[in-house]
Amino acid sequence: MEPMFDNKRLLWLLALVAAFLFGPYRSPADEPNASQGTERKLPPGELGRLVQLGREIVENTHDHPLSKEFVGNSLDCTSCHLDAGTHPEAASFLGVATAYPAWSPREKRVITLQDRALNCFMRSQNGTRPPVGSQVAVAITAYITWLSTDQPIRMNPDKPLGPNHVPPLEQTTGDIDRGKTLYEDNCAYCHGDNGEGSDDGPPVWGDESYNDGAGLSRVPKLASWLKVAMPLDDTTLTSQEALDIAAYVNSHSRPKFRLQDHLPEEGKAGVYNGDGR
């Protein structure tokens, strides 16, 4: 009598059961992650073109022809969201779109991903908020959403943060004097002796840097980012060193944030972006 299952049939049956219980197998190469970054296949047609445009704006925000009119300093989105947002820890865009709509304690309302991206133009880039529905707004958020492909939606009821947000440090206080020495030893080569920036790094204080309404203007927030992002490609700072450098950097002058100075003209908060009649 033949056995009920030979080896091939048994393997086939096990694969069928696994597919039923766990869904189709998806290898790590199929997921958006730090190593793959933006290598996943673009959507076809106009959507894919818009996603690519979004990445170009993220990488060249302050001088891209579509976004430069809304930027008031020398920073690009990728100045903080390293590797065009594909860095797994430094203000990562990976998975961010899954957290929206989200409650925002700062705005005291539920905001969309588009709101969150456009608010950065007002604060981190010390510029004017682009209109909702504008090509800049849609392109940037299309790119960020593409980096969340296939990830489950988990809207955030507490804060507008995605699953890979920068974790806060346990300590919160830095020393400016220690920070000055650490900055000179670790940061000045790229960011300038006077924080003015260079070809290798953006300005970190002064008129061409973020204003005092940006998240990074708060020492604990900047320190937690420094801990996972700097020095670039060699993140060796201790938590205390990151706090000391953050205290020193944020002890310098930077533009003052006044909300009314950063909003679009009356009637231009949103735009109709369709060509149809």
Side-chain angles (χ1 to χ4, degrees):
M1 182 176 180
E2 291 185 359
M4 185 175 295
F5 297 108
D6 59 24
N7 288 340
K8 288 184 178 179
R9 289 178 179 175
L10 182 59
L11 288 173
W12 178 85
L13 181 61
L14 290 174
L16 184 64
V17 171
F20 177 79
L21 291 176
F22 305 112
Y25 173 75
R26 182 176 286 116
S27 73
D30 295 324
E31 297 296 335
N33 54 43
S35 61
Q36 187 185 16
T38 55
E39 294 175 8
R40 65 163 50 248
K41 187 177 180 181
L42 287 168
E46 180 62 15
L47 179 57
R49 187 199 69 79
L50 197 70
V51 168
Q52 182 60 40
L53 176 62
R55 174 164 183 150
E56 292 168 6
I57 294 173
V58 164
E59 292 179 318
N60 306 285
T61 324
H62 83 280
D63 58 8
H64 192 283
L66 290 176
S67 54
K68 64 181 181 180
E69 67 176 292
F70 303 110
V71 179
N73 58 25
S74 296
L75 300 186
D76 302 312
C77 296
T78 197
S79 298
C80 299
H81 305 278
L82 298 188
D83 301 332
T86 66
H87 191 288
E89 296 178 287
S92 180
F93 285 158
L94 299 175
V96 160
T98 66
Y100 290 85
W103 169 253
S104 173
R106 183 171 64 190
E107 278 78 27
K108 296 181 174 58
R109 67 182 180 92
V110 173
I111 64 172
T112 65
L113 175 61
Q114 191 168 169
D115 288 323
R116 182 68 185 87
L118 300 186
N119 288 346
C120 274
F121 280 85
M122 300 194 297
R123 298 171 183 272
S124 295
Q125 292 171 313
N126 193 39
T128 304
R129 193 179 198 264
V132 174
S134 62
Q135 190 172 23
V136 168
V138 177
I140 290 176
T141 50
Y143 170 65
I144 296 172
T145 301
W146 175 66
L147 291 177
S148 299
T149 300
D150 294 335
Q151 297 195 24
I153 293 175
R154 295 189 179 93
M155 289 188 291
N156 195 328
D158 301 315
K159 294 180 180 180
L161 297 173
N164 299 302
H165 69 273
V166 179
L169 301 178
E170 292 185 8
Q171 304 102 303
T172 58
T173 304
D175 182 275
I176 293 175
D177 292 333
R178 288 198 306 259
K180 180 177 186 295
T181 300
L182 286 164
Y183 178 88
E184 291 169 349
D185 292 343
N186 295 277
C187 316
Y189 178 80
C190 290
H191 299 284
D193 294 336
N194 298 307
E196 72 276 16
S198 71
D199 291 341
D200 296 312
V204 291
W205 65 77
D207 292 341
E208 293 302 312
S209 189
Y210 52 87
N211 63 41
D212 65 1
L216 294 186
S217 69
R218 301 193 297 272
V219 168
K221 188 86 170 179
L222 175 58
S224 61
W225 183 86
L226 290 171
K227 181 71 171 62
V228 298
M230 294 287 128
L232 194 63
D233 300 323
D234 185 27
T235 50
T236 56
L237 296 176
T238 67
S239 295
Q240 188 60 60
E241 287 171 337
L243 281 161
D244 293 343
I245 294 173
Y248 175 68
V249 167
N250 281 341
S251 70
H252 292 83
S253 64
R254 60 185 65 258
K256 299 292 183 184
F257 177 74
R258 295 175 67 249
L259 178 61
Q260 57 268 37
D261 295 338
H262 300 275
L263 295 173
E265 296 176 29
E266 182 102 16
K268 288 191 175 180
V271 300
Y272 175 67
N273 63 2
D275 290 331
R277 296 290 186 268

